[in-house]
Amino acid sequence: MLTFTIAVLVLLFILFKLMLVVPMREVVVIERLGKFRTVLQPGFHFLIPFLDRAAYRHDTREQVLDVPTQSCISKDNTQLEVDGLVYLKVMDGRLASYGIEDYRRAAVNLAQTTMRSEIGKLTLSETFAEREKLNESIVREIDVASEPWGIKVLRYEIRNISPSYHVIHTLEKQMEAERQKRAEITLANAEKAATINLSEGERQEAINLSEGEKQKRINEAIGTGQEIAIVAKAKAEGMAKVSEALSKNGGNDAMNMLLKEQFIKQVGDILDNTQVSVIPTEIAKVEGFFQGMDQVSATMNKQGGQG
């Protein structure tokens, strides 16, 4: 009975070694007598017991490896603490098994050294502004170096970039100074605009006043000219009427009477407004003056009639 049991166990062991089921997410590297034979893809496979063995199993899914935090020095000698994530996938099971001892640890170490090298090419501000470009550079460098390992680096993501406390304090002061600078520039521009607007207003006001004064003088000149023209026209019309009146019968007598009245009135005004008594010494000359005026009027009337 014991012998039968042992035989069954040995048979089961042989059957276990004979059959191999590879899951969908894996590939299995088979060695025969310690030498690489093949890479088994997902599915059911038969092996030669005691000769073939499953030496390595590799996950063919995309793997995410954590890159620990490390200290880096930027181009402007700023110390930074940087960590990230690297995404890779096994493409060749044979190279992943025999090309390197541990491709996961190698990928992480290579990511760290490449990240230090790439950050050393950038300034502090560039590491924040060109984060995507930095990730692409790291992926490119790691992918070239890891090609003999049978893996493909799909992408790299920088998770945190943490400057030291001193650097953060300096950056805060710099940003505060920058904000103050922008505020002063804004105030200066506003003051400049206000000064320009004020000067433009004063200039426009002076132009308006000048135009107003010019128009006023033009209007006054026009008014004066019109006044002179109206007075001259009125005088001309008055002289015409006087001449017309003198040409009629009794016109000379009326003119003489009017002149005598005006003369007497003006002499009376002079006597009223002066403290010295003024009496013409040659009263007879007054009568001669009016007689002369009569003769002048008669001569003018004759000449007018002949014309």
Side-chain angles (χ1 to χ4, degrees):
M1 186 65 181
L2 181 60
T3 304
F4 177 76
T5 302
I6 293 174
V8 171
L9 292 176
V10 171
L11 181 60
L12 291 175
F13 180 74
I14 292 173
L15 291 174
F16 177 75
K17 290 293 184 179
L18 180 64
M19 297 179 295
L20 178 65
V21 177
V22 180
M24 186 65 190
R25 65 179 182 275
E26 293 181 354
V27 293
V28 178
V29 177
I30 301 300
E31 291 181 352
R32 177 170 292 175
L33 299 177
K35 184 179 180 181
F36 171 76
R37 186 176 73 87
T38 186
V39 177
L40 299 181
Q41 299 299 322
F44 181 79
H45 302 275
F46 288 98
L47 302 178
I48 300 175
F50 307 109
L51 297 180
D52 295 338
R53 74 181 186 93
Y56 300 97
R57 291 177 177 269
H58 298 292
D59 195 332
T60 57
R61 295 174 296 180
E62 184 175 348
Q63 303 177 46
V64 183
L65 305 179
D66 186 20
V67 181
T69 302
Q70 62 175 336
S71 179
C72 302
I73 304 297
S74 64
K75 186 178 180 180
D76 51 357
N77 296 324
T78 302
Q79 185 175 357
L80 304 172
E81 297 292 330
V82 185
D83 64 350
L85 298 171
V86 60
Y87 296 79
L88 55 84
K89 186 176 182 180
V90 175
M91 306 301 294
D92 189 330
R94 180 179 179 180
L95 293 178
S97 302
Y98 303 106
I100 194 168
E101 179 183 0
D102 186 349
Y103 66 84
R104 294 183 180 86
R105 184 162 58 87
V108 170
N109 291 334
L110 182 59
Q112 287 182 314
T113 55
T114 305
M115 184 165 54
R116 281 197 297 267
S117 175
E118 292 297 324
I119 289 180
K121 300 176 184 178
L122 303 174
T123 62
L124 177 61
S125 59
E126 290 174 343
T127 57
F128 292 100
E130 301 184 8
R131 200 162 181 166
E132 192 67 27
K133 182 178 178 181
L134 181 60
N135 290 336
E136 293 176 359
S137 300
I138 294 174
V139 169
R140 185 169 55 252
E141 295 296 330
I142 298 175
D143 194 41
V144 172
S146 62
E147 185 176 357
W149 304 342
I151 63 174
K152 174 70 176 177
V153 178
L154 303 176
R155 60 186 180 275
Y156 180 86
E157 296 291 341
I158 295 178
R159 187 161 52 186
N160 294 310
I161 300 177
S162 304
S164 62
Y165 173 78
H166 176 71
V167 173
I168 294 176
H169 185 64
T170 303
L171 289 176
E172 289 178 350
K173 287 186 176 180
Q174 182 178 356
M175 288 187 292
E176 182 64 27
E178 188 66 24
R179 285 194 294 268
Q180 184 67 25
K181 176 184 176 182
R182 288 197 297 267
E184 292 177 356
I185 291 174
T186 303
L187 291 175
N189 289 335
E191 184 176 356
K192 176 182 177 182
T195 303
I196 292 174
N197 292 335
L198 182 61
S199 62
E200 286 292 335
E202 292 177 351
R203 175 175 172 270
Q204 190 62 41
E205 181 183 4
I207 292 173
N208 293 339
L209 291 175
S210 176
E211 290 293 334
E213 185 66 23
K214 174 183 175 182
Q215 191 62 40
K216 176 183 176 182
R217 292 179 180 178
I218 291 173
N219 293 338
E220 289 177 350
I222 292 174
T224 303
Q226 292 177 351
E227 179 183 0
I228 293 173
I230 291 172
V231 171
K233 182 179 180 181
K235 288 183 178 179
E237 291 177 354
M239 292 297 292
K241 291 181 178 180
V242 169
S243 177
E244 183 180 358
L246 290 175
S247 63
K248 295 180 180 179
N249 295 328
N252 291 328
D253 296 335
M255 174 62 72
N256 292 331
M257 181 61 68
L258 180 62
L259 292 175
K260 291 176 181 179
E261 290 178 357
Q262 289 181 352
F263 178 78
I264 294 170
K265 182 177 182 300
Q266 290 178 357
V267 171
D269 292 337
I270 292 172
L271 294 176
D272 292 337
N273 295 328
T274 182
Q275 296 179 357
V276 179
S277 298
V278 178
I279 299 174
T281 57
E282 297 178 354
I283 297 299
K285 292 183 180 181
V286 175
E287 183 179 1
F289 170 77
F290 288 109
Q291 291 177 355
M293 288 297 296
D294 292 339
Q295 294 176 359
V296 171
S297 297
T299 302
M300 290 179 64
N301 290 330
K302 291 178 179 180
Q303 292 178 354
Q306 291 178 359

